[in-house]
Amino acid sequence: MKITQKTATEKSLFFAEFRNRIPHEDTNLWYNIFMIILSGNKIERSFAGEVLFNNINIQVDERDRIALVGKNGAGKSTLLKILVGEEAATSGEISTKRDLSLSYLAQDSRFQSENTIYDEMLHVFDDLRTTEKRLRGMEEQMGSLSGSELDQLMKTYDSLSEEFHLAGGFNYEADIRAILNGFKFDQTMWDMKISELSGGQNTRLALAKMLLESPELLVLDEPTNHLDIDTIAWLENYLVHYKGALIIVSHDRYFLDKVATVTLDLTKHSLDRYVGNYSQFVELKEQKLQTELQNYEKQQKEIAKLEDFVQKNIVRASTTKRAQARRKQLEKMERLDKPTTGKKSANMTFQSDKTSGNIVLTVENAAVGYDGEILSQPISIDQRKLDAIAIVGPNGIGKTTLLKSIIGALPFIKGEAKLGANVEVGYYDQTQSALTPSNTVLEELWSAFPTTPEVEIRNRLGAFLFSGDDVKKSVSMLSGGEKARLLLAKLSMENNNFLILDEPTNHLDIDSKEVLENALIDFDGTLLFVSHDRYFINRVATKVLEISETGSTLYLGDYDYYLEKKAELEAEAQPDQIETANQSAGAMDYQAQKENLKEQRKLARRIEQIEVEIENIENRLSELNQAMLETNDIGSLTDYQKEIDQLTNQQESLMEEWEDLSDQLG
């Protein structure tokens, strides 16, 4: 088996698919190809006699990139804790490869240390640094030794130096810098004591340290919490190229799509394996459910037919034996359970009572911040009816501050927001501060809409998954996800035509996120929202507004378009950046640099020209091949073949030129 020219993701997918083709009974073959580093057999976890999950079987191989998914409350975090040894299973068995190196990031992972950030990261490489000191000591000895003693020392030095090199001894400081910068710990923070960090910063640093440790198995529970979009994108890229195995629980579907090649779906009585990322899993699961439903319905028809025959023929002497045979067939039949999608989904809807004017929101050259400190300026927004604008930007840049300034909860440092005609604003606050803790769920909605009949209030709460005794729960006892659904239910009753939402998907499970997405896509009004959920942005947004220290930039499209366009703009600006950097460093004479950049642009234009020519040739070859199929005329066939040969030679020549120019361009 030979694998060539594959990315890490492609290889992981190949491995996952290949494994599924190997019969389970062919254990020896599998062990010869892939190393199983962790496995679990018939794992069960119960609390006070109530089963959380059972009959869980899992196998993790050295190249696996596993996404663990399931409904909220299915026990994903509990299963991770059992796999890493933090909790004990009620029954079942966990086995691991001998001396397996494993790191586990819980949702609330913290570490206590009086070290500075940089010193804590250095501790990861204590063994390497000890070796480095030995090497420096040997170097000092070399000047005072001669003869056989020097030869022996040089031999030991060469061996130790090679070990040091292979272990990354010449790169560990660069690795520390890269990972700290990737997690937004710039050099100004490296001397900070860990005890001075916020909870979110501490968790980020814990993850950074785990990546530096580079264990064989990395187990991550919601690793994107406390990360902004840029940092999540950096982490994605890092994990895609990670050498060990991964098990990840995350509600970030975009993240799972980028990183995972295997998806495990946790239910109460099984852990179902699907080859592919989250989006592929959704498709495959739907196909599986449809197949199971068809098989169930087919069996039900067969059962009904057999039962009908037995009932009609059991008392007849002539058909009794056949009826008895059918009855035995029924008794021996293994009955299929009716497939179910699990818990009921919410049925969220948003609609407006009146239509706004075409101009919904105008902000011109505004500045946002607090206590006189400007976070971002100038910010301009020209929002029209039915626009769905997503606001993105790094943590702390003022996205939430901007929303609060627009609704009048905080003043702009400079500028103002103007709403258009007939615009009615509804606001979702990520802090959930608008809820009254002492109210019951029913009281929370009814107090806001006292003239609405109770039955309508209950129906609306039911649509947001509050039914029966749930409506009697106090708000203070609700989970974060339940509070989010209650706030959304409250917002849905206001029937506003302009919704301003601050992180509406926080605390929601994946199923509820998807329901909310569909509700907002169908909304007949205008949307302005802040979100770190790129999958959500991709589905809902029609425009993306990026906020930075230097102000706002509008991109006309979804999140993928925003990334694509931003990359294009950065690529276009790159020659100028190179020129500026080189001038300031004095690395190249101005005229020489100018000529070099000119040559680069010339190469780029020629490459684009070649690509167009190759495409035209391919189109013409396709036309000629079709024409040859449609005629038997010898003269025409000869002419067609002659032109095909000429075009093929021209195509090969162009491809060689393209490769040569691409290498020159770098």
Side-chain angles (χ1 to χ4, degrees):
M1 181 180 64
K2 188 177 180 182
I3 304 171
T4 59
Q5 297 180 344
K6 291 183 181 284
T7 65
T9 300
E10 289 170 333
K11 287 179 182 178
S12 295
L13 278 168
F14 175 86
F15 294 149
E17 289 171 356
F18 186 79
R19 181 173 68 185
N20 278 11
R21 296 173 188 173
I22 297 176
H24 290 293
E25 62 270 15
D26 203 347
T27 308
N28 291 332
L29 175 60
W30 181 247
Y31 268 96
N32 289 336
I33 302 172
F34 303 103
M35 174 67 76
I36 299 171
I37 60 174
L38 182 146
S39 62
N41 184 42
K42 295 190 181 300
I43 302 167
E44 178 181 327
R45 187 69 170 101
S46 303
F47 296 94
E50 185 173 341
V51 174
L52 177 63
F53 51 71
N54 62 10
N55 196 37
I56 302 302
N57 299 307
I58 184 171
Q59 178 177 302
V60 182
D61 305 306
E62 57 186 355
R63 298 289 183 182
D64 276 346
R65 302 275 190 276
I66 296 173
L68 178 61
V69 301
K71 298 280 188 181
N72 273 8
K76 299 185 294 294
S77 295
T78 302
L79 179 58
L80 291 189
K81 289 176 181 177
I82 291 171
L83 294 177
V84 302
E86 292 270 325
E87 285 190 17
T90 307
S91 64
E93 185 177 89
I94 304 291
S95 54
T96 63
K97 165 183 168 288
R98 182 177 294 179
D99 300 325
L100 174 70
S101 59
L102 182 153
S103 292
Y104 166 58
L105 181 82
Q107 291 188 35
D108 56 350
S109 283
R110 301 282 189 277
F111 56 86
Q112 304 293 325
S113 175
E114 289 303 315
N115 289 326
T116 66
I117 288 174
Y118 193 80
D119 286 344
E120 187 67 31
M121 299 300 105
L122 276 177
H123 276 309
V124 173
F125 304 101
D126 280 347
D127 290 344
L128 272 177
R129 294 171 72 210
T130 299
T131 302
E132 189 174 24
K133 287 178 182 177
R134 283 186 63 193
L135 289 170
R136 299 294 85 83
M138 289 179 181
E139 290 167 2
E140 292 176 4
Q141 288 180 341
M142 289 174 187
S144 60
L145 297 177
S146 61
S148 62
E149 288 182 333
L150 179 60
D151 290 341
Q152 183 59 44
L153 181 63
M154 289 296 296
K155 186 178 179 181
T156 305
Y157 179 87
D158 289 343
S159 176
L160 193 62
S161 183
E162 180 65 17
E163 288 178 18
F164 183 72
H165 169 69
L166 292 173
F170 297 108
N171 303 317
Y172 73 87
E173 290 182 294
D175 291 342
I176 291 174
R177 289 194 296 271
I179 284 181
L180 286 178
N181 286 325
F183 280 103
K184 301 292 180 71
F185 294 105
D186 61 48
Q187 197 162 352
T188 61
M189 302 177 68
W190 293 357
D191 291 329
M192 282 181 65
K193 285 188 175 293
I194 290 172
S195 56
E196 298 172 0
L197 298 177
S198 68
Q201 288 173 324
N202 191 298
T203 302
R204 277 194 285 134
L205 192 65
L207 178 54
K209 187 177 181 181
M210 288 178 189
L211 296 185
L212 283 172
E213 291 168 343
S214 192
E216 295 170 276
L217 175 60
L218 196 55
V219 181
L220 307 175
D221 194 357
E222 296 290 355
T224 61
N225 288 356
H226 314 293
L227 303 183
D228 60 27
I229 286 180
D230 289 341
T231 309
I232 294 171
W234 178 89
L235 180 60
E236 282 169 357
N237 185 62
Y238 192 94
L239 292 179
V240 163
H241 298 93
Y242 189 73
K243 294 179 180 178
L246 304 169
I247 305 177
I248 301 169
V249 169
S250 178
H251 286 147
D252 189 328
R253 296 156 294 171
Y254 201 98
F255 179 80
L256 295 180
D257 270 355
K258 292 289 184 181
V259 177
T261 57
V262 174
T263 302
L264 301 182
D265 183 26
L266 179 62
T267 64
K268 190 169 184 175
H269 303 297
S270 68
L271 186 65
D272 298 324
R273 184 185 183 95
Y274 298 84
V275 175
N277 61 16
Y278 179 79
S279 292
Q280 291 165 325
F281 150 72
V282 171
E283 293 178 10
L284 291 170
K285 186 174 181 180
E286 181 61 30
Q287 293 171 13
K288 180 186 175 186
L289 284 170
Q290 289 298 322
T291 301
E292 288 177 348
L293 184 60
Q294 290 171 3
N295 291 337
Y296 171 79
E297 290 174 346
K298 183 180 178 181
Q299 188 184 65
Q300 288 300 302
K301 288 179 181 177
E302 185 181 355
I303 289 170
K305 187 178 178 181
L306 290 171
E307 287 177 341
D308 184 60
F309 183 90
V310 171
Q311 188 177 359
K312 288 180 178 178
N313 295 280
I314 194 70
V315 295
R316 297 180 184 176
S318 60
T319 56
T320 296
K321 287 186 179 180
R322 279 188 289 165
Q324 288 173 340
R326 299 291 196 283
R327 180 183 283 174
K328 286 180 180 178
Q329 188 179 343
L330 281 166
E331 290 170 354
K332 292 179 181 179
M333 185 180 291
E334 187 175 340
R335 304 289 178 105
L336 299 175
D337 294 327
K338 187 176 182 180
T340 175
T341 57
K343 293 189 294 186
K344 182 183 177 185
S345 296
N347 184 28
M348 303 179 190
T349 56
F350 297 91
Q351 58 186 24
S352 57
D353 280 341
K354 63 173 67 173
T355 304
S356 71
N358 188 49
I359 298 173
V360 174
L361 172 67
T362 304
V363 178
E364 293 182 1
N365 297 321
V368 297
Y370 49 87
D371 298 333
E373 180 186 352
I374 294 176
L375 297 173
S376 177
Q377 73 165 350
I379 297 173
S380 296
I381 303 173
D382 179 17
Q383 187 158 13
R384 304 301 171 108
K385 184 171 64 176
L386 301 182
D387 279 348
I389 299 179
I391 300 174
V392 301
N395 286 350
I397 201 63
K399 302 185 294 293
T400 294
T401 305
L402 173 60
L403 295 189
K404 288 184 175 180
S405 297
I406 290 170
I407 65 172
L410 284 175
F412 283 99
I413 294 177
K414 177 185 174 184
E416 61 178 347
K418 296 179 181 177
L419 297 175
N422 296 322
V423 172
E424 295 179 341
V425 177
Y427 177 63
Y428 178 94
D429 181 6
Q430 66 164 310
T431 66
Q432 303 175 338
S433 59
L435 298 174
T436 305
S438 59
N439 278 344
T440 66
V441 169
L442 181 62
E443 288 168 347
E444 184 66 31
L445 243 64
W446 212 350
S447 61
F449 305 96
T451 61
T452 304
E454 181 180 354
V455 65
E456 289 187 25
I457 298 287
R458 285 181 175 273
N459 286 340
R460 184 60 59 99
L461 287 170
F464 285 77
L465 298 183
F466 295 102
S467 58
D469 290 340
D470 290 340
V471 302
K472 299 175 183 178
K473 286 184 181 177
S474 72
V475 170
S476 61
M477 298 298 292
L478 300 180
S479 68
E482 288 172 325
K483 287 178 180 177
R485 283 191 277 111
L486 181 57
L487 268 175
L488 289 168
K490 200 171 179 179
L491 185 63
S492 75
M493 292 202 57
E494 295 177 3
N495 294 336
N496 301 299
N497 53 31
F498 183 29
L499 299 183
I500 298 178
L501 313 174
D502 190 9
E503 297 286 1
T505 63
N506 279 4
H507 309 292
L508 296 179
D509 62 12
I510 289 179
D511 184 64
S512 295
K513 286 181 183 182
E514 292 173 349
V515 173
L516 177 60
E517 286 162 5
N518 293 329
L520 294 177
I521 290 168
D522 294 336
F523 176 52
D524 58 351
T526 306
L527 295 171
L528 179 68
F529 63 94
V530 169
S531 180
H532 285 115
D533 189 326
R534 296 158 299 164
Y535 199 101
F536 178 82
I537 297 172
N538 235 12
R539 288 206 66 206
V540 177
T542 58
K543 299 175 181 178
V544 175
L545 186 75
E546 183 182 48
I547 305 295
S548 67
E549 290 180 356
T550 56
S552 62
T553 307
L554 186 67
Y555 297 84
L556 306 179
D558 59 15
Y559 185 78
D560 283 343
Y561 177 82
Y562 153 72
L563 288 181
E564 182 183 333
K565 196 66 180 176
K566 191 176 179 182
E568 285 179 11
L569 293 171
E570 288 174 354
E572 290 173 4
Q574 195 171 5
D576 295 331
Q577 292 170 0
I578 293 171
E579 187 175 352
T580 304
N582 287 345
Q583 281 178 349
S584 61
M588 186 184 290
D589 177 79
Y590 173 76
Q591 191 60 38
Q593 183 184 348
K594 189 174 178 181
E595 289 299 320
N596 183 50
L597 289 169
K598 184 178 178 182
E599 184 63 25
Q600 283 187 319
R601 293 189 185 102
K602 184 179 177 182
L603 288 173
R605 285 196 297 272
R606 177 55 185 157
I607 287 171
E608 289 179 4
Q609 185 182 354
I610 291 171
E611 288 171 349
V612 171
E613 290 179 19
I614 290 173
E615 186 177 357
N616 291 336
I617 289 172
E618 288 174 348
N619 291 336
R620 179 56 183 161
L621 286 171
S622 179
E623 291 173 0
L624 289 168
N625 285 321
Q626 184 61 37
M628 290 182 75
L629 293 172
E630 296 173 353
T631 183
N632 292 318
D633 183 71
I634 298 297
S636 297
L637 288 169
T638 303
D639 292 341
Y640 290 152
Q641 188 58 54
K642 186 177 178 181
E643 188 177 353
I644 286 173
D645 292 341
Q646 290 173 344
L647 289 172
T648 302
N649 291 333
Q650 188 180 345
Q651 186 183 40
E652 289 174 358
S653 177
L654 286 169
M655 285 298 296
E656 288 175 4
E657 185 183 355
W658 184 89
E659 289 176 3
D660 183 50
L661 294 178
S662 296
D663 289 340
Q664 291 181 45
L665 194 61

